[in-house]
Amino acid sequence: MVQEGHSQLGEKRAWWSQVRFWSVAVISITLLCACFIVSSVVTYHFTYGKTSKKLSELHTIHSSLTCFSEGTMVTEKVWECCPSTWKSFGSSCYFISTEEDFWSKSEENCVRMGAHLVVINSKAEQNFIVQQLNESFSYFLGLMDPHGDGKWQWIDQTPFHANVRFWHQNEPNFSAEQCASIVFWNPGKWGWNDVFCDTKRKSICEMKRIYL
């Protein structure tokens, strides 16, 4: 009888031990699941909350955006966008004006749209831009010589290197013409020309792609 009692007591202890083990396991798994859910919710609201706020701010300037996916991870830049009426090339978006204005007013118009007058950094960029232009018009660039001393400056402080100069032959040629435009001259060539800043011309705005 004593041995039987000891046997039953051992079985009960083993049973309670298993119950405690599985109870702890279930509670631990439940807590881990809860932490994962909370973390996911916080990450979602942090990421997509910021995106929604940014989109709301952008829509005060641009009525709609054209975007495409760049990645899938939360930590990556998931979307890159341009305003729907702008052209996309490289890491920038471009807007070709339909109205003519002075250089300073043209720059102000670009700034209101979150951009600046175009800065051309390569032959490939120039080739892309001229494909969007009308040969009948001249377009202001974000390039000027503020003191008329031949020290041309880009509006965004990009260094003005000789290897990205696309002046027409014999241009620039007049120190009083302190702003630059891009214009089509025969025989069949687009190039830069120095012009008076207070003449009215069309213009090209540039902004960096918008990442969401």
Side-chain angles (χ1 to χ4, degrees):
M1 294 293 294
V2 174
Q3 289 182 350
E4 185 178 344
H6 280 299
S7 177
Q8 290 178 348
L9 182 61
E11 290 176 358
K12 287 183 178 180
R13 287 176 176 174
W15 183 79
W16 278 111
S17 178
Q18 290 183 8
V19 169
R20 285 196 297 270
F21 172 79
W22 287 109
S23 297
V24 170
V26 169
I27 292 171
S28 298
I29 292 172
T30 302
L31 289 173
L32 286 172
C33 290
C35 289
F36 175 77
I37 292 170
V38 170
S39 175
S40 297
V41 170
V42 169
T43 300
Y44 177 88
H45 283 288
F46 177 77
T47 302
Y48 293 96
K50 285 177 65 179
T51 298
S52 297
K53 182 179 179 181
K54 191 170 183 179
L55 279 173
S56 178
E57 292 171 349
L58 289 169
H59 279 304
T60 64
I61 304 174
H62 305 289
S63 59
S64 61
L65 301 175
T66 299
C67 306
F68 61 90
S69 178
E70 190 185 48
T72 56
M73 299 296 292
V74 172
T75 56
E76 293 178 358
K77 294 173 180 176
V78 177
W79 298 97
E80 54 180 300
C81 313
C82 285
S84 58
T85 57
W86 294 47
K87 303 294 184 179
S88 175
F89 177 79
S91 61
S92 296
C93 311
Y94 302 86
F95 176 78
I96 313 301
S97 72
T98 57
E99 298 181 0
E100 296 183 341
D101 216 326
F102 306 128
W103 189 94
S104 59
K105 292 294 184 180
S106 298
E107 170 63 9
E108 288 175 9
N109 182 53
C110 291
V111 170
R112 280 196 299 270
M113 295 188 289
H116 54 71
L117 282 170
V118 67
V119 174
I120 298 177
N121 296 292
S122 68
K123 182 64 175 176
E125 185 178 16
Q126 164 118 336
N127 288 342
F128 168 79
I129 288 171
V130 299
Q131 292 173 19
Q132 320 303 320
L133 307 181
N134 187 321
E135 296 178 4
S136 301
F137 298 102
S138 172
Y139 300 81
F140 277 127
L141 304 176
L143 180 64
M144 67 182 310
D145 177 12
H147 305 296
D149 56 2
K151 296 180 180 178
W152 291 86
Q153 302 174 9
W154 287 114
I155 192 71
D156 69 346
Q157 306 304 312
T158 294
F160 187 63
H161 297 306
N163 63 332
V164 289
R165 297 182 184 182
F166 303 109
W167 296 105
H168 277 297
Q169 188 174 358
N170 300 321
E171 301 293 343
N173 62 357
F174 186 30
S175 62
E177 295 178 323
Q178 298 176 358
C179 289
S181 72
I182 186 169
V183 60
F184 184 88
W185 285 352
N186 286 320
K189 182 180 179 181
W190 284 93
W192 302 351
N193 179 37
D194 57 338
V195 295
F196 291 107
C197 299
D198 58 359
T199 54
K200 288 190 174 183
R201 302 171 189 277
K202 293 184 182 295
S203 58
I204 309 161
C205 298
E206 178 184 2
M207 67 186 296
K208 291 299 181 183
R209 281 183 180 171
I210 302 160
Y211 292 95
L212 302 176

